[in-house]
Amino acid sequence: MTITTRQQAPLGSGAGAFLADFHSMSTFGATAGGGVDRQAGTAEDGQTRNWFRGLAEGHGFEVRYDAVGNQFALLELVPGAPYIAMGSHLDSQPLGGRFDGAYGVLAAVHAAIRLQQRLAAGGSAPQFNVAVVNWFNEEGCRFKPSMMGSAVFTGKLSAEHVLETVDPRGTSVREALESIGTIGDFSLDLAAYLEIHIEQGRSLEDAGLTIGLVESTWGANKYEFTVHGEQAHTGATIIADRHDALLGASALVVAAREIADGFSTEEHAVITSCGEFTVYPNSPVVVASRVELLVDLRSTDAEVLAAADAELHRRIAAIQQSAAVRIEQGAQHVWGAKAYDKAGMSLAAECAADLGLSYGTVRTLAGHDSTNLKDLVPTIMLFVPSVEGISHNEKELTSDDDMLAGVDLLTELLGRVVEGAFVAVP
Ligand code: GLV
Ligand code: MN
Ligand code: MN
């Protein structure tokens, strides 16, 4: 990490309004443990989307939806000009935190409102329009894969495929979006994309920094597996006759962890997980017939990731033999370890320095909508600290001061980008 330390800026104007809005937003899908549960396309997601629409329309933005429920709050400054978009996501994990994604959407709309006020007070001439985007289903918990809305926007998935995707109860994305009334036919002429998000790791906090300039993503390979066994009586079936899907799936979970331990180097870490594991028929006296699980491998380095991946597939072949099961690989979701725009990082660094904010460069372990957007248009990704790096947890926390510093920075950056400091008008 490169570290530049400066004093924290004083709280900017509109700080109270931002915090009040953050508090209001966090009441949608609020959980007893202090988090939120608003999985994509649920009533709670719909309520949050409606609240966001009200906030944006109240400030004169026009709100539109595209075919897969991406929500765009549009601020037209230069009729006919392309848009600078800023955004993130308002959906959450089950029992998720209040900050993941939601902070970025709210920071973006507040930055746009502040810019609007500056321009009304006689600021310089903008060259672009501004859009704040709430991308549909970034989390990928109810409908897989994650980063779904931004994947369609960037042409990585087709809208048709996504609309037909079903959740575990058989409800499709199309049905879910229609039930909350957030589907349309809008398309955006995009010139550049900015996103701010909580770090979800501890490097900024450990280094005592307020702002992370994201230089690249980690690579990730996520696989859906089905382990096929044979349903049997747990007491009456002798071991030699068993095809225990749960045994095979458990071996796969352990193998994934051993690969993380074995393939991480000083320079390049490997992180592996199994976040989802469903056993059929999941009954006390029944040997499992089938297990569905999702295995996730990540690394900073493409070659290290490829080696870890090859080992995973070798281990799968061995587990099929040792547990007498068949392991079928289903859908995969893969993205590369790739850099963000260097000129964008320099511009953000300049803005942070001018505001007196401490900053350093970081890499993102987690996927974000900007992971997709950066492959389409010049993109700048910023982080603010997460207390103890806790995330996807009701205890997720970012301090008010850090949230407000991020809004100040995004406002400054947006002002310069809209004036043409990052991308030129085509
Ligand atoms: C986001 O989709 C992630 O997997 O980090
Ligand atoms: Mn997120
Ligand atoms: Mn998340």
Side-chain angles (χ1 to χ4, degrees):
M1 174 184 291
T2 315
I3 297 177
T4 305
T5 306
R6 292 176 205 263
Q7 281 199 324
Q8 174 128 347
L11 299 186
S13 69
F18 175 84
L19 294 176
D21 282 340
F22 188 78
H23 179 76
S24 301
M25 179 175 67
S26 304
T27 61
F28 299 102
T31 58
V36 293
D37 193 335
R38 17 182 221 239
Q39 297 178 52
T42 58
E44 292 76 12
D45 185 29
Q47 287 157 8
T48 321
R49 293 172 147 243
N50 279 337
W51 174 85
F52 173 63
R53 189 185 70 203
L55 176 69
E57 287 178 347
H59 285 87
F61 294 62
E62 182 190 358
V63 175
R64 305 283 300 272
Y65 299 92
D66 72 6
V68 294
N70 292 317
Q71 184 179 27
F72 300 87
L74 307 171
L75 180 62
E76 194 176 64
L77 303 172
V78 189
Y83 280 80
I84 304 299
M86 301 177 286
S88 199
H89 59 97
L90 293 175
D91 68 312
S92 83
Q93 291 289 331
L95 300 179
R98 290 173 292 147
F99 301 81
D100 178 358
Y103 165 67
V105 175
L106 191 65
V109 76
H110 271 260
I113 292 166
R114 291 186 193 180
L115 175 73
Q116 186 186 32
Q117 289 165 350
R118 279 192 202 170
L119 293 172
S124 59
Q127 300 192 32
F128 294 94
N129 295 308
V130 173
V132 178
V133 192
N134 165 27
W135 300 105
F136 176 67
N137 188 26
E138 193 278 345
E139 295 291 6
C141 39
R142 178 178 176 198
F143 300 104
K144 287 192 276 289
S146 58
M147 307 174 332
M148 183 180 258
S150 55
V152 173
F153 186 87
T154 52
K156 297 180 181 198
L157 288 176
S158 78
E160 266 319 300
H161 168 79
V162 158
L163 291 168
E164 299 309 314
T165 300
V166 292
D167 73 3
R169 292 184 170 176
T171 304
S172 69
V173 166
R174 187 194 305 275
E175 288 164 337
L177 285 172
E178 282 171 356
S179 76
I180 58 170
T182 60
I183 186 163
D185 61 3
F186 180 69
S187 73
L188 185 78
D189 177 11
L190 183 65
Y193 180 68
L194 319 178
E195 181 164 350
I196 192 163
H197 200 280
I198 57 165
E199 184 187 9
Q200 306 178 280
R202 59 194 331 153
S203 77
L204 290 174
E205 185 181 66
D206 287 352
L209 299 173
T210 305
I211 300 296
L213 311 174
V214 181
E215 60 178 347
S216 68
T217 54
W218 284 44
N221 293 358
K222 298 188 195 178
Y223 299 111
E224 292 175 35
F225 290 111
T226 304
V227 181
H228 298 277
E230 181 72 45
Q231 187 166 330
H233 192 298
T234 53
T237 313
I238 61 168
I239 296 287
D241 287 349
R242 289 188 190 203
H243 301 276
D244 186 344
L246 182 49
L247 179 70
S250 307
L252 187 48
V253 173
V254 173
R257 178 57 174 265
E258 287 172 353
I259 290 168
D261 294 341
F263 281 74
S264 288
T265 63
E266 288 269 299
E267 212 186 336
H268 295 295
V270 175
I271 290 185
T272 61
S273 318
C274 166
E276 191 177 32
F277 194 97
T278 313
V279 182
Y280 299 91
N282 203 22
S283 180
V285 193
V286 179
V287 173
S289 57
R290 181 161 58 98
V291 175
E292 290 168 358
L293 70 163
L294 193 141
V295 176
D296 175 336
L297 291 86
R298 304 186 191 213
S299 178
T300 42
D301 182 80
E303 279 179 24
V304 172
L305 184 60
D309 193 284
E311 176 64 10
L312 179 74
H313 286 88
R314 269 194 295 278
R315 298 284 288 260
I316 286 171
I319 293 166
Q320 293 193 109
Q321 293 291 320
S322 61
V325 294
R326 183 168 64 84
I327 302 181
E328 181 190 4
Q329 186 173 315
Q332 63 182 47
H333 184 201
V334 167
W335 66 85
K338 266 177 131 173
Y340 282 84
D341 191 288
K342 287 216 168 7
M345 287 178 68
S346 304
L347 182 64
E350 256 172 52
C351 294
D354 289 351
L355 292 174
L357 297 171
S358 61
Y359 64 90
T361 55
V362 291
R363 301 188 68 165
T364 178
L365 286 85
H368 300 288
D369 295 303
S370 74
T371 307
N372 285 329
L373 268 294
K374 74 171 187 340
D375 297 337
L376 183 72
V377 289
T379 292
I380 305 173
M381 181 79 198
L382 305 169
F383 279 165
V384 289
S386 290
V387 172
E388 292 178 22
I390 295 170
S391 189
H392 285 186
N393 184 311
E394 291 168 294
K395 296 196 190 71
E396 188 174 85
L397 183 64
T398 293
S399 73
D400 289 354
D401 282 354
D402 286 342
M403 284 203 288
L404 292 166
V407 182
D408 289 346
L409 176 59
L410 193 61
T411 308
E412 183 62 31
L413 184 61
L414 174 67
R416 298 190 197 187
V417 171
V418 160
E419 283 171 14
F422 182 39
V423 285
V425 179

